[in-house]
């Protein structure tokens, strides 16, 4: 178990004991992770991501006392934010349908020849479909297990494995890697 998870479990135990300072520290530690997750799911819309995370925190705070296993917090919190993002996406789709208009935002058009490896990787990850981008980010960037990603995204573990496989293949193709 890594030190970060141990600290989270300690902070959660302190929160359950009524320590407000522990909650403030815990919320600061998790805000950026949850915001990054929402941002990826919502296609880079920072304001929508902030809204989803803010709504997610309300649900997290209200449900924290019912969380039976503090080790499950990461998957549980990511799942809450994922559901909030899904609701926002659904609302946006309904708005577009009602307005009978569709617009596609231009993607990152940086040239692969001039982009650094990190920039190329970020652009390739951004180009992935949202479901694959979320799976890659949670598994590789947040160091979650397949099972935790499955809970966070509310999909079966096999679906997570499939999304990771397809995402890796697309990233390999985009970055010119060998098979």
């Amino acid at each position: 178990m890594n030190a970060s998870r141990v600290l989270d479990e300690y902070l959660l135990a302190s929160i359950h004991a009524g320590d407000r300072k522990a909650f403030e520290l815990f919320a600061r530690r998790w805000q950026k992770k949850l915001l990054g997750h929402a941002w990826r799911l919502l296609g880079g819309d920072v304001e929508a991501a902030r809204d989803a995370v803010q709504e997610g925190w309300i649900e997290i705070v209200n449900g924290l006392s019912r969380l039976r296993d503090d080790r499950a917090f990461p998957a549980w919190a990511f799942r809450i934010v994922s559901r909030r993002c899904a609701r926002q996406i659904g609302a946006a789709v309904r708005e577009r349908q009602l307005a009978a208009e569709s617009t596609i935002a231009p993607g990152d058009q940086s040239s692969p020849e001039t982009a650094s490896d990190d920039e190329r990787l970020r652009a390739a990850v951004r180009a992935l479909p949202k479901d694959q981008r979320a799976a890659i980010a949670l598994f590789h960037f947040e160091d979650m297990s397949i099972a935790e990603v499955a809970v966070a995204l509310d999909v079966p573990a096999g679906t997570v494995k499939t999304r990771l496989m397809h995402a890796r293949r697309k990233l390999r193709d985009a970055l010119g890697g060998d098979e």
Side-chain angles (χ1 to χ4, degrees):
M1 180 180 285
N2 67 30
S4 181
R5 287 198 180 203
V6 171
L7 178 57
D8 286 341
E9 288 180 31
Y10 171 77
L11 290 172
L12 282 167
S14 297
I15 291 167
H16 291 307
D19 187 343
R20 290 182 62 78
K21 293 271 188 203
F23 180 77
E24 291 171 14
L25 178 60
F26 187 76
R28 273 189 304 231
R29 286 178 48 79
W30 277 92
Q31 178 69 15
K32 188 174 181 180
K33 290 179 182 186
L34 295 175
L35 191 56
H37 177 63
W39 179 83
R40 286 185 292 273
L41 290 176
L42 294 169
D45 185 340
V46 175
E47 288 305 314
R50 284 184 182 137
D51 290 343
V53 171
Q54 183 176 8
E55 291 171 8
W57 272 114
I58 293 169
E59 190 173 337
I60 289 167
V61 167
N62 290 334
L64 203 52
S65 64
R66 294 186 305 273
L67 184 64
R68 300 207 190 288
D69 183 1
D70 289 343
R71 291 174 295 178
F73 178 83
W76 178 70
F78 281 121
R79 184 176 184 175
I80 288 171
V81 171
S82 295
R83 285 195 316 256
R84 294 293 175 177
C85 291
R87 288 181 190 136
Q88 284 191 5
I89 290 168
V93 167
R94 286 188 296 279
E95 281 181 29
R96 280 196 301 267
Q97 288 171 342
L98 289 174
E101 67 183 65
S102 64
T103 59
I104 300 173
D108 184 3
Q109 302 297 326
S110 63
S111 165
E113 297 83 33
T114 61
S116 73
D117 287 344
D118 284 349
E119 291 168 336
R120 288 181 57 223
L121 177 59
R122 277 190 235 112
V125 170
R126 279 194 306 269
L128 291 172
K130 290 177 186 173
D131 58 346
Q132 293 174 13
R133 185 171 55 233
I136 282 285
L138 291 175
F139 186 76
H140 289 288
F141 303 152
E142 297 299 334
D143 198 28
M144 295 177 78
S145 69
I146 296 287
E148 289 172 324
V149 174
V151 171
L153 298 178
D154 198 20
V155 297
T159 301
V160 172
K161 291 177 185 178
T162 301
R163 288 177 182 178
L164 289 171
M165 177 191 69
H166 290 296
R168 288 176 184 138
R169 184 176 298 141
K170 288 176 183 175
L171 290 172
R172 188 172 36 248
D173 291 346
L175 299 173
D178 297 332
E179 276 289 319

